[in-house]
Structures are given as structure tokens and as C-alpha cells.
Amino acid sequence: MPYSAEEISKAVDRLRRKLERYIHFPRTLMKLEAMWSMYMEVRSGSSWRVDAAETEQFLQAILRSSVGTLWCDRAQMLVDELDERPECMGASPVVTMALIRVLAKFGDVQRVNAAVQKAADKHGPEWSTGVTDYIETRVIALARADLPKQAAEMLEKSNGRKAAAEQKGCTKPVHPYAVALRELMLAWTRDRDADRAWMCLSQLLALGYGRATREWNAMLHVHAVDMRYRFHLLEQVLGRMRSSGVTYDAATYNIMMHGSLLRGLQARWKEWFHKMEKAGHTPNAVTFTTLLVQLAHSGQWSEALQVVRYMRQNNVAATAATTSSVLSMERQRNRVNRIMSHFRRQVLKGGEIAVSEFTVVVAAILDSPKKWASETALAIRCLEDRRISESAVVDALAARLPGIGTSRIPDRPLLSLLQDDAGSVAGTFTRGIQGAFPESESRQLAVGAQRRSFVQTLNVVIRFLLRSHNWEQAETLVRSASEAKINTSEPHTLVSLLHWCSRSGHPQPSELKEQIAAASFVPPSALATAQLVSSVKSGDMANARVLFGQLEKQTRDFPSIRAFNAQLMYASAIQDAELLESKWRQMESCGIMPDATSHRTRIFCYSQMDNLLRTRRAYSDMLDYGNPPTFPAVSAMVRCCVRKGDMELALRVMRHAEHSHGTALNTTTYNYVLSRAGGSIDGMATMHGMFASMLQTSDERICSALSDVERAVEREKLRFADLRVLKAERDGLGSWLLRPAETRESSARLRRALAKWTTSRAANSAEPTMFDNEPHADASAVPPADSPPPNATTFIIVMRASGQHAQWLRVVQAWEALASFNHRIDALATHRVHAATHRIAPFSRMIGWTALALTQLGRHDEAKTLWAAASETGVLSPSARKMGMEKTVRQLPVR
């Protein structure tokens, strides 16, 4: 409905009064949002627009209170509207400078440069001569865009011009640029260049500035995260901070605790925690997040859980980083059900989901995508509904999700690019490294609040290519970046490159060695850990021995769960049980709890040594620590039991893993047990029981290809369409209340339906987690895993064992079961193409055992008919056809 002229006039007068009050009195962001909404409403209902003076006032208000880059678009819109009005003569230099200040606040360098160029074209190159803070604003824009080198060059040129003006007798005072120096110093600390940051801070102190706590905390932090500096150097920085008259705040204590934990100084961080409380600073969410992130990362999970309990007792709200740390900890302990349960509850609450939490969820899904089809569809729907902020890490993970190719996800250009072939991705980023594509495309590829720069996005893409086994394209990007002097030495990238070298057998390139040597912000134990794992996997035990000695020394200063896992892997590779137990005890003495990798390595080591007693103890320890059995651990335990002749224990372990924890075993493990069980007459019943369970496996276990997972995801996504309708009905109370009372459903019923759908899982029930405030009933039981489908080796094992014990009818039944199983596979293959790969083609030994069994049962004609049919269809090998049925049968290993 259009507004009247009188209403428009009153609204305009009110808006003008609001602008004047906003300039002269402090106001909040909420007031700014309300004022903007009012302007947009007036703008949509009339032709009135703000003039030049009001535009400047609006820009000043945005500069004062705005939060978020959305205000850059709004500020640009105001100036563009002013340029489009001929009566206003376009934006004046004053308005242009106000716009540049807003853009500089958020580090939008591209728009700042465009505004400067536009003003120079309109008003001449000297338009900024009378603006005292022009250079300072440009420097701030570059510094906040994390371009400290360009900012320093601009500031240095400006100082040179001013010095030349003073020599010519110019009496104009030199502006000290204190704010620009401060922003430049903070940019150098974010770039982790402590030397240049100290230089800027010294200049600030000489000008009488630089005594704010924030600047010194930034300096303290850059020393805390740089592993070249020992802890006493941090205390020296703290001493200079005290001598400069700067007071400590809560962030100062948080940084000291962070630095202590990075260096493995457990007593020091507790000492600083008590100092913080004694100084009267209340530990906040950042304090506990700092502690929890480092404790969870190093494997000290018992202390991490104590921090969580302390937060609950003191009603400290958990941050996204806190929750993601606990989720990462649960993922390391193989408790993925808890992660998915928390994710479903977060979706039920509505609103945006934190990037860090979503990253852990997607990574857990990718560990076993066949198991989490419903959660995969839920994650894709969250991306489609824009509930996840833009992030390069999220895009790189989401690009590997099954079913993502058919989804329409808006405003994520990097995700769209990563769905192309690896060559196209590598080519695009190679052009970006060489500067061969426009700035707009570069801006699109540098995505995410956490991954803003192109270099950081490049690191993510390199890791994406490595994990997708596109090693040649990743190496091309690394070499191109090295030639362009672009540093790709992020910790995760270095570790991925080292693992790639170990898997591919490729020697470490010289560029990688240089990056490892220059990676001062990675704990030494982290790089030594990756190098030791790489050497062990590639079989270079001589180099592994040297690296083990180095890591052993570094672990004393920088203990972590990954470092100990690498040492356990080395001990397992050389089969040194005493060394492994020594490292296990050392790990526990450091307060580090073993994770799923630690337990698996220990079980595998003792299994390879055929030490059943120690293998059984290691397996029991894994269960006692609350870690569910993984397939590699179960397989190693079962093989050790079978080799030592304890078939009963092997079967008990298999049943417990499958029925109590839902661990799916593969066909090779079953065949290993079958081959040993059929060696004695007492084990024949066990063998035939396991064989029958393999024949009766479910269709879902047979058709478990990734294409089938994608189809399951598509089915689940259709259910999410209904979910969105339900949610819209629940949230849109206005339209819901307009319905007649007899036709509308209650909101409680809608909410119950939504909750029931979100938390319902046919295959994995929601488990109680540490995030639950109220006690839950025991819902930890999971459905048993199906037995794996048989393969050709399974049938020949059963036939040979039955024939050796003269159970000829069992041999014939196995042959008939083969035909029945193939018929089932053919039926499944009509609508699931992947099922055809499980079809078992008979071969000479199967035909020979079946013919022998039929002969022993007196069914000679059937045996000859079977042999003739096999010969005609080409099933028999040339040697078998040449020897004939009787000679082939006589060569079978019958006792």
C-alpha cells in the first residue's frame, strides 16, 4: 500500500533527526539497523533520497557502529545513488573520503582503490590534497586486508615525501600517522612477523603512543605461537609490557596459558590460571576455549572433560570453538554417533551452524560415507539453505560428499569449482598464482571469514587434491607457488605433502624441505611426527631411526597424542614390544589418553608378534577406555586368535564387535577364519554357520557402492524438503493463526513431528553425550552389522574343507548355493548396477570339487553333464580341459 505525502514527510523528518542524534551522541548497532530499515522503507515507498550532507552523516554513522562487511555494500549503495542524481552533482571529495573510511574499516582494498580512481577521474589527481587522513586511511585499508608489505611501502613513501617537504621549508606539521602505525603493527603480528611488529611498536612508543593493552597482547601472542621462542622469552616480553606501564587484562593471561600449553608446560598454565583469578579477572569463555582446544589437541582428554564440567558448574556458555574441540576429540576416539547426535540437535534448534562444528561433522561423514546417508543429506541441505558461513575448508570437504553434484548450492564459487575435474581446478589456481585472471575471480576464490586470502585458499585446495589422490596436480601447484615465492607451508599442508610422499614413494621435493625448515609456527614435534610416519610407511627404517631419536627428545618439551602415535608406529614396525610399552607408559604419565589410532597400533604390533596374551590385553584396554572396536583392531585380534588356535575367542570377538558395536568386518577376515575352522571336524559346524550367514547378508551390504550411497542421499534429501515445509509452518505463526481453528494443527504437534524426524535414525540411535544437560536413558545399543557377502575364495574354502572331511553333500549344496547367490545378484543388478561386481564366476577347482562330490554320491551322469557344460561355456581352464575330468579330480587335495 503506497504511503501518503504527509506520512513520507514525517518519516523523512524523523530520519533526519535520527541521523543528527546519531552523530552527536553514542548509539548502538541496533539503532543503526533500525535507522537503515526506516530509510529502506521510505525509499521503497517514495522517490525521496538522502542528499550529500545526509549521505555523509549516514557514512559517519556506519563507520562508528557497523559490524560486518554487509555495511560496505550499503555504504557503496548510498554513494552510487548520490552519483546517479544529476541535481547532487555526484559525490563530493568529502563524501568519497567518508566512503573510503568505511571501506578501510573492513579492509575492502578493491573498493577503496576503485573509489580513489573514480574520485581522481572526476575531481583531478589532487583531490585528496586537503584530506589529512587520506594516506592513513589507505594504510589502514591495506593493513586490515592483511597486506602489511604494501601498507608499509605506502607509509614509507608518504614519510619520504613529507621529509622532502620539510627540507624545502614547508611549515606544515608532519602528521604522525599513529593509527596507521598501530594497524600496521597488528597486521605484522597477524602475519607472524615479530621483528617488523617490534619496529612499528618502537615507533609508536617514540611518538608517545603504543601503551594500550591490545597492542602488547598482539605482540605477546605472536611470540606465544612461534615455536622458536622458549617460554622465558614470553616472560621477557611480559616484563617489557609491565615496564611500559601497560596493565594486564584477561586476554594477557589467556595468551600466557596458550603459550604454556603449546610448549607442553602443564604446571605453568595452571600457575597462570591461579594468577588470573588472584588478579581479579574472571575466567571467561575465551579462557576455557583456549584451555580446551589445546588439551583436546594434545590428547589430554580427562583434563579437557574437567574443563567442560567446570564450565557447566560456573554457567559459562560454550563457544563454537569449544564445541568443535570436543567434537574433534570424540572423532579421534571413534565416537561418531555422538557427533551426529549433536549435529541433529543443532539443526533442530535452527539458525546458523558454526563453521568449525560443521567441519568436524563433514569430516566424520567422509570417514565412512556409507553409514551416514541421512546426515550427508542433512549437511547438504544446510549448505543449500545458507546455514553455513562461507569457508574454503568447508567447501573443500563438502566437494567430496556423495550427492553434492546434483545439489544447487548458491554463492559458493569455490565449491562449484572443486566439483570439476582435478586438471581444471589446478589450472585455475595456477593462473591465479601467475596473476593471469581478473581480480573479481581472485576475490571469489579467496573465500571465507576464516580463509580470507588467496594463499590460504590455495593451501586448502592443495590438501583437497592430495586427499583426492590427484598428486601430480597438487605438486604442480606447490612448484608454481614456490616459483612465485608464495608460501604454502601451513601445518596441515606440510603434513599432507609428507603423507603423499610416503604413499606414492615420491622423494621429498626440495621446495618441501625448504618449507619445513621455514615453518617456525609449527611445533617441532608436529613436523618430526609427520616425517617419522612418512619414513615408516615408505619403509625407510634407517631414516626413521634417526627421526625417532629426534622426536623422542622433542616430545619431552612438546608432548602430543600424534607424536606418541608416531613413536608407537615405529615400535610396531620394528616389533619391539618393550619399546612400545615404554612409550605407552610415558604417554599416560604425561596425562595423554590413547586414541583409536594408539589402540589399533598396539593391537596390531602384538598380533604381528603372535603374542596372544598381550594382544588380548591391548584389546581389552581399548574397550576399557571406552573406544568402540574398529575394523582393523578387530581383524588383527581375530587373526592372532586364529593363528594361536583359540577359535572360540576369535568368534567371541567377532560376535561382540558386530552385535554390540555394529562393526562391519570384511570378507577377507571371514575367509581367514573359515580356512582355519575347516581344518578340523569339530570346526565344520562353525564354518557352515558362518558360510550361511554370509549367504544371507542383506542387499544393502552387497550394494554398498558410492553410487548407491548417492541414491540414498537423494532419497533423504526429499525428506528434508518436507522438513522445511514443517519448519516453515512451525515458525510462520502469523499465517498459521489465520487458519480456521478446526483445520490447523497445534504448534506442539508440528514441533514433535520435527523433533521425531530429526532425531530418528533407523541404523544409529542418538546417544547421550556430554552436551546433554539432563540424564538420558541408555541408548548406546547399535544394530548389529551384517555379515559380508561371500566371494570365490569363500566357496572354494567351504568346498575343499567339506571334501576333505568326506561331507560330499555339503560340497554339492555349496555349488547350488553359488547358483542361487548369482541369481540373487543378477536380480539386484537390474536396478543397482554395482551389484554385478559381486557375481562369482565359477572356475576349474569349483567344477572339480563338485564333480568329485557327485561322483562320490553315485551321481556320475550329473558329474559328466556338469563337466561338459563347463567345458562348452569356457569356464574350465585349458589345462583342465586337456586333462579331463577324471585326472583333474584325482589331483584334488583329498585326505
Side-chain angles (χ1 to χ4, degrees):
M1 178 180 179
Y3 295 100
S4 64
E6 183 179 357
E7 290 174 328
I8 294 293
S9 177
K10 288 182 179 179
V12 169
D13 291 340
R14 186 181 175 192
L15 181 61
R16 285 172 175 163
R17 289 195 302 271
K18 282 180 175 291
L19 277 171
E20 292 177 1
R21 287 199 299 269
Y22 205 99
I23 298 301
H24 294 95
F25 303 100
R27 289 291 187 267
T28 61
L29 176 63
M30 185 173 65
K31 293 279 188 181
L32 181 62
E33 289 280 2
M35 192 164 59
W36 179 263
S37 299
M38 184 178 180
Y39 170 65
M40 296 304 294
E41 187 174 359
V42 172
R43 180 177 175 276
S44 62
S46 67
S47 60
W48 180 84
R49 300 292 184 273
V50 290
D51 58 17
E54 292 162 347
T55 300
E56 184 188 359
Q57 290 179 338
F58 230 132
L59 293 174
Q60 290 180 18
I62 292 173
L63 179 64
R64 176 185 296 180
S65 304
S66 60
V67 176
T69 55
L70 173 65
W71 287 100
C72 288
D73 300 331
R74 293 174 176 178
Q76 188 69 54
M77 188 191 81
L78 289 172
V79 177
D80 290 344
E81 287 180 351
L82 195 64
D83 287 334
E84 293 171 359
R85 296 168 61 188
E87 67 273 12
C88 294
M89 304 296 292
S92 64
V94 176
V95 174
T96 301
M97 197 61 218
L99 172 64
I100 291 174
R101 292 188 190 103
V102 172
L103 299 175
K105 176 181 179 180
F106 298 100
D108 198 336
V109 178
Q110 292 180 348
R111 283 181 175 172
V112 168
N113 294 337
V116 170
Q117 185 61 43
K118 188 175 181 180
D121 295 340
K122 184 175 182 180
H123 303 289
E126 303 296 328
W127 72 275
S128 61
T129 304
V131 183
T132 58
D133 64 337
Y134 172 73
I135 297 296
E136 188 173 26
T137 305
R138 295 288 303 275
V139 172
I140 291 172
L142 291 168
R144 293 197 173 183
D146 292 334
L147 300 171
K149 292 182 180 179
Q150 292 89 323
E153 290 174 1
M154 180 174 288
L155 194 60
E156 187 177 352
K157 289 180 182 178
S158 174
N159 289 334
R161 288 195 297 266
K162 290 191 174 184
E166 287 180 355
Q167 290 178 0
K168 291 179 182 180
C170 180
T171 58
K172 187 176 179 180
V174 178
H175 191 69
Y177 292 152
V179 178
L181 268 175
R182 174 179 174 272
E183 291 294 339
L184 182 58
M185 189 214 77
L186 294 175
W188 283 126
T189 58
R190 289 194 296 272
D191 201 44
R192 296 181 175 180
D193 193 330
D195 296 334
R196 294 182 179 178
W198 272 117
M199 188 183 304
C200 293
L201 184 58
S202 301
Q203 295 177 16
L204 282 172
L205 292 171
L207 294 171
Y209 298 93
R211 288 180 173 82
T213 307
R214 182 187 175 190
E215 286 87 339
W216 283 94
N217 281 343
M219 289 299 305
L220 190 64
H221 182 264
V222 77
H223 287 80
V225 298
D226 192 336
M227 294 297 109
R228 294 174 298 181
Y229 300 112
R230 293 296 176 184
F231 193 76
H232 70 274
L233 291 176
L234 270 71
E235 294 176 331
Q236 289 180 12
V237 176
L238 207 64
R240 290 193 60 179
M241 182 176 175
R242 189 187 304 111
S243 62
S244 299
V246 182
T247 57
Y248 301 165
D249 62 1
T252 309
Y253 292 98
N254 291 341
I255 292 169
M256 293 303 293
M257 285 185 279
H258 180 61
S260 304
L261 285 168
L262 279 177
R263 290 158 178 79
L265 305 175
Q266 303 301 321
R268 287 294 183 91
W269 79 258
K270 294 178 182 178
E271 176 185 336
W272 278 100
F273 186 81
H274 294 313
K275 284 183 179 181
M276 182 180 187
E277 291 182 322
K278 189 176 180 180
H281 296 288
T282 304
N284 52 19
V286 178
T287 306
F288 294 114
T289 300
T290 301
L291 297 176
L292 188 60
V293 168
Q294 291 303 321
L295 291 171
H297 179 75
S298 63
Q300 297 173 355
W301 295 326
S302 57
E303 293 204 15
L305 295 179
Q306 288 180 10
V307 172
V308 173
R309 296 189 194 99
Y310 188 90
M311 292 176 66
R312 284 191 168 184
Q313 293 170 2
N314 293 273
N315 296 322
V316 179
T319 63
T322 307
T323 307
S324 63
S325 298
V326 178
L327 292 176
S328 299
M329 182 173 68
E330 295 298 291
R331 183 185 170 212
Q332 281 184 277
R333 301 171 73 183
N334 197 31
R335 299 181 177 182
V336 185
N337 281 347
R338 296 188 174 184
I339 298 175
M340 300 307 171
S341 174
H342 173 74
F343 176 52
R344 292 192 294 271
R345 282 197 300 275
Q346 288 296 102
V347 174
L348 178 61
K349 291 178 182 177
E352 190 173 289
I353 300 173
V355 168
S356 55
E357 295 181 30
F358 190 76
T359 300
V360 179
V361 171
V362 177
I365 290 174
L366 291 173
D367 288 340
S368 53
K370 299 174 183 178
K371 186 177 180 181
W372 306 108
S374 179
E375 280 69 19
T376 303
L378 182 56
I380 293 174
R381 282 300 185 199
C382 288
L383 290 169
E384 291 178 342
D385 296 344
R386 301 182 182 180
R387 294 184 60 178
I388 311 299
S389 300
E390 200 173 8
S391 168
V393 178
V394 169
D395 292 347
L397 288 171
R400 296 162 53 199
L401 285 173
I404 195 73
T406 59
S407 305
R408 296 180 179 179
I409 300 176
D411 303 330
R412 301 190 85 97
L414 180 62
L415 177 57
S416 302
L417 174 66
L418 294 178
Q419 293 180 39
D420 296 339
D421 60 283
S424 174
V425 175
T428 301
F429 274 87
T430 302
R431 293 195 302 274
I433 292 172
Q434 298 169 352
F437 57 52
E439 279 192 1
S440 59
E441 189 173 348
S442 175
R443 182 185 179 87
Q444 286 182 339
L445 294 179
V447 298
Q450 296 175 339
R451 301 273 172 181
R452 290 182 294 177
S453 71
F454 175 77
V455 177
Q456 291 170 320
T457 308
L458 176 63
N459 276 276
V460 175
V461 172
I462 291 172
R463 296 199 297 272
F464 170 80
L465 292 173
L466 288 171
R467 288 166 185 165
S468 304
H469 304 290
N470 296 298
W471 298 326
E472 294 180 359
Q473 288 81 1
E475 186 180 10
T476 301
L477 283 182
V478 172
R479 294 189 183 279
S480 301
S482 179
E483 293 171 359
K485 296 183 179 180
I486 295 176
N487 185 16
T488 56
S489 60
E490 282 194 1
H492 297 299
T493 307
L494 287 177
V495 172
S496 298
L497 286 168
L498 286 168
H499 287 325
W500 161 64
C501 292
S502 67
R503 285 196 300 264
S504 62
H506 194 286
Q508 295 181 10
S510 57
E511 296 88 350
L512 179 58
K513 295 179 180 178
E514 293 172 2
Q515 291 173 6
I516 291 173
S520 59
F521 294 92
V522 186
S525 61
L527 287 178
T529 297
Q531 289 176 305
L532 178 58
V533 172
S534 174
S535 298
V536 171
K537 287 186 176 180
S538 60
D540 187 359
M541 300 310 297
N543 187 37
R545 190 179 302 107
V546 176
L547 291 169
F548 176 79
Q550 296 176 1
L551 183 59
E552 197 172 20
K553 295 177 182 177
Q554 293 169 355
T555 307
R556 297 174 191 145
D557 296 329
F558 305 100
S560 69
I561 184 63
R562 291 178 176 85
F564 279 109
N565 282 344
Q567 295 177 67
L568 294 176
M569 181 182 293
Y570 173 78
S572 174
I574 63 175
Q575 295 191 1
D576 190 336
E578 299 306 321
L579 178 61
L580 188 143
E581 284 300 318
S582 172
K583 291 302 167 186
W584 191 272
R585 289 192 297 269
Q586 183 183 350
M587 178 170 61
E588 292 180 332
S589 66
C590 292
I592 296 177
M593 295 175 63
D595 62 357
T597 304
S598 311
H599 290 292
R600 182 176 68 244
T601 304
R602 190 180 180 211
I603 294 169
F604 181 78
C605 175
Y606 294 144
S607 174
Q608 290 295 103
M609 297 168 63
D610 285 340
N611 191 329
L612 181 57
L613 182 61
R614 285 192 169 184
T615 306
R616 184 171 182 174
R617 188 184 67 186
Y619 191 85
S620 301
D621 287 346
M622 177 184 67
L623 299 177
D624 292 342
Y625 272 96
N627 291 59
T630 60
F631 158 69
V634 176
S635 178
M637 178 68 190
V638 168
R639 286 172 181 268
C640 182
C641 293
V642 171
R643 285 195 299 266
K644 300 301 288 185
D646 197 339
M647 189 64 66
E648 183 182 354
L649 178 59
L651 295 174
R652 191 162 69 246
V653 169
M654 293 174 66
R655 283 195 298 268
H656 175 263
E658 289 181 327
H659 293 261
S660 300
H661 295 279
T663 304
L665 303 179
N666 63 359
T667 305
T668 305
T669 304
Y670 265 69
N671 288 345
Y672 192 84
V673 178
L674 287 173
S675 62
R676 296 328 191 257
S680 63
I681 191 64
D682 296 333
M684 291 299 294
T686 301
M687 184 192 71
H688 287 297
M690 294 178 64
F691 179 58
S693 68
M694 295 175 75
L695 291 172
Q696 296 169 6
T697 188
S698 63
D699 294 347
E700 287 72 20
R701 182 68 194 270
I702 295 175
C703 305
S704 59
L706 193 60
S707 58
D708 297 298
V709 177
E710 292 177 355
R711 280 193 288 270
V713 169
E714 292 297 328
R715 288 195 300 270
E716 295 293 332
K717 282 163 65 176
L718 295 176
R719 297 175 63 190
F720 278 96
D722 299 334
L723 168 68
R724 287 189 297 182
V725 172
L726 260 180
K727 191 173 185 300
E729 291 180 351
R730 190 199 74 188
D731 294 339
L733 293 178
S735 59
W736 177 77
L737 291 174
L738 292 177
R739 296 188 219 161
E742 63 273 8
T743 61
R744 67 190 184 206
E745 295 178 300
S746 67
S747 58
R749 182 176 178 182
L750 289 173
R751 182 170 179 82
R752 282 196 302 271
L754 177 63
K756 181 180 179 181
W757 184 89
T758 308
T759 57
S760 66
R761 286 286 282 120
N764 296 281
S765 58
E767 294 184 20
T769 72
M770 62 188 67
F771 302 101
D772 299 326
N773 292 319
E774 67 278 356
H776 283 67
D778 182 18
S780 60
V782 294
D786 292 322
S787 300
N791 57 12
T793 306
T794 309
F795 281 94
I796 201 63
I797 288 173
V798 172
M799 287 181 174
R800 183 182 61 197
S802 301
Q804 289 176 346
H805 292 92
Q807 296 181 358
W808 303 113
L809 186 58
R810 291 281 192 181
V811 176
V812 176
Q813 289 174 352
W815 174 256
E816 294 171 351
L818 173 63
S820 177
F821 182 78
N822 282 339
H823 179 73
R824 178 187 174 190
I825 294 298
D826 293 339
L828 286 174
T830 57
H831 54 91
R832 294 184 180 182
V833 179
H834 176 73
T837 59
H838 289 276
R839 198 177 196 284
I840 301 172
F843 53 93
S844 302
R845 279 188 295 165
M846 287 186 184
I847 303 297
W849 279 108
T850 307
L852 176 60
L854 291 172
T855 303
Q856 294 293 331
L857 292 173
R859 298 156 63 177
H860 300 280
D861 295 339
E862 293 182 31
K864 293 178 181 179
T865 303
L866 174 65
W867 188 269
S871 181
E872 290 176 2
T873 55
V875 172
L876 295 177
S877 64
S879 60
R881 284 200 301 270
K882 185 177 181 180
M883 287 189 298
M885 184 183 75
E886 294 182 358
K887 188 177 289 187
T888 301
V889 165
R890 283 198 299 269
Q891 289 184 355
L892 293 176
V894 181
R895 294 176 183 174

